[in-house]
């Protein structure tokens, strides 16, 4: 039984190394679109995911991070008012399909926890297109949508990921 367990662990470890998947961290810069652009000027976030290779061209796993959307300043009757920053921590399932050796397409789907006051969070979805610069670095483009009470908080983002 111990031999089977050791062989199974070695195969799992070897498959992980062969697929060159695992833990990834990164940053992104986003521009609010739609309803979000009324309250925010830009967003800055960090991303983390752990992916496992489950088929020749398919990786699945979990994703999280933190995003802060910086509030705009409004002028109303000569007075300046600052909109609050909006913050989320997404908890999601992640999937990536390797279209080619360099290009991947995928999505994160889950729930975004609202951090700032009055932000209850909501359903989170993030389609992603990624280009692998080399084995360690990738650039990605994504759309993030978070369904809140009565509207969707949306951004388009450019990100940079490091594969650890």
């Amino acid at each position: 039984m111990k031999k089977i367990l050791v062989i199974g662990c070695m195969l799992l470890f070897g498959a992980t190394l062969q697929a060159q998947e695992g833990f990834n961290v990164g940053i992104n810069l986003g521009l609010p679109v739609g309803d979000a652009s009324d309250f925010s000027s830009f967003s800055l976030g960090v991303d983390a995911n752990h992916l496992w290779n489950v088929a020749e061209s398919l990786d699945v796993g979990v994703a999280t991070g933190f995003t802060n959307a910086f509030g705009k300043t409004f002028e109303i009757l000569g007075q300046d008012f600052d909109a609050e920053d909006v913050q989320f921590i997404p908890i999601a399932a992640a999937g990536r399909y390797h279209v080619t050796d360099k290009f991947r397409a995928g999505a994160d789907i889950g729930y975004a926890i609202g951090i700032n006051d009055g932000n209850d969070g909501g359903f989170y979805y993030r389609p992603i297109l990624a280009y692998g610069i080399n084995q360690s670095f990738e650039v990605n483009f994504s759309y993030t949508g978070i369904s809140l009470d009565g509207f969707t908080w949306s951004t388009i983002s450019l990100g940079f990921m490091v594969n650890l």
Side-chain angles (χ1 to χ4, degrees), residues 27-33 47 95-96 102-108 124-133 138-144 154-161:
I27 59 172
N28 68 67
L29 178 64
L31 295 174
V33 294
D47 299 310
R96 305 290 184 270
K102 295 279 189 184
F103 287 99
R104 294 194 290 170
D108 297 348
Y124 167 83
Y125 54 98
R126 183 180 181 198
I128 297 172
L129 295 174
Y131 175 76
I133 298 169
E138 87 174 24
V139 175
N140 62 49
F141 177 75
S142 65
Y143 170 87
T144 300
S154 304
T155 59
I156 54 172
S157 300
L158 182 64
F160 181 76
M161 295 289 283

